[in-house]
Amino acid sequence: MTSRILVIPGSNRSGSFNAALAAAVSVELVQQGADVTRISLIDYPLPLVDEDLKNESGIPENAMKLGRLIAAHDGVFLCCPEYNSSIPPLLKNMIDWVSLISKDGDKPLKPWAGRYVALGSASNGTFAGIRGLYHVRSVMMNVGAQVVTQQCSVGGAASAFDESGRLIDKRTNSMLVGACQSLITHCALASTA
């Protein structure tokens, strides 16, 4: 059975390194046999998480759309920028809103629960965004996702991709291939269990 993977870059910035990583991840996942959907969070604007807003108006419709999309896939690959050695607010806000979903109409829905997630980061700095991934991993585990061990961090991101969008450095590309392979393997095992 073909694994369905959702790829989400955690940045809306024009020329985002993590959008470039998400594109490379998508190509690799397809080459490994996955059915891939790549989205941009710019298409799902959300207010800041606010319990009063949630109590007054419910879960925002864009959070529900994202929750349904996540639940419709076997796994998610998050491409995460690093802000001040941690998780960026755009990505954290999306994760938090989706984690507040408990039902869709009269049907139970917990989009992150048991969902397999792989992590990647791209940064122009020498740490390659790796410090932020520690925090993303912690948050994703807390919301019930199953985070795969393998991850990919791309340093010197401004010159890390070739003209076709592929990673130039063989070691870094090997990390990307391994993270994609691990995500697909975990999704496939879960679907046959």
Side-chain angles (χ1 to χ4, degrees), residues 1-5 32-35 72-75 183-193:
M1 184 172 144
T2 302
S3 295
R4 299 190 67 219
I5 309 294
Q32 291 191 29
D35 179 7
H73 288 78
D74 303 306
L183 181 58
I184 290 172
T185 299
H186 280 86
C187 290
L189 288 171
S191 68
T192 59

Side-chain angles (χ1 to χ4, degrees), residues 146-167:
Q146 302 295 314
V147 186
V148 301
T149 302
Q150 293 79 3
Q151 60 188 24
C152 174
S153 54
V154 180
S159 58
F161 301 91
D162 66 19
E163 300 79 28
S164 68
R166 303 296 303 247
L167 286 167

Side-chain angles (χ1 to χ4, degrees), residues 77-132:
F77 200 118
L78 296 175
C79 298
C80 311
E82 177 187 294
Y83 286 16
N84 295 321
S85 303
S86 190
I87 184 170
L90 175 71
L91 186 60
K92 179 70 163 60
N93 195 55
M94 179 277 291
I95 293 166
D96 289 347
W97 268 123
V98 171
S99 75
L100 293 173
I101 298 170
S102 61
K103 60 183 178 176
D104 188 2
D106 59 355
K107 294 185 288 190
L109 178 64
K110 295 293 286 177
W112 292 125
R115 190 82 44 228
Y116 282 99
V117 174
L119 304 177
S121 61
S123 168
N124 217 26
T126 54
F127 290 116
I130 197 79
R131 295 172 300 179

Side-chain angles (χ1 to χ4, degrees), residues 47-67:
L48 290 176
V49 169
D50 180 333
E51 285 291 329
D52 289 338
L53 177 63
K54 177 186 167 237
N55 292 337
E56 291 167 13
S57 310
I59 302 289
E61 185 55 33
N62 279 335
M64 290 302 302
K65 287 178 183 176
L66 285 164

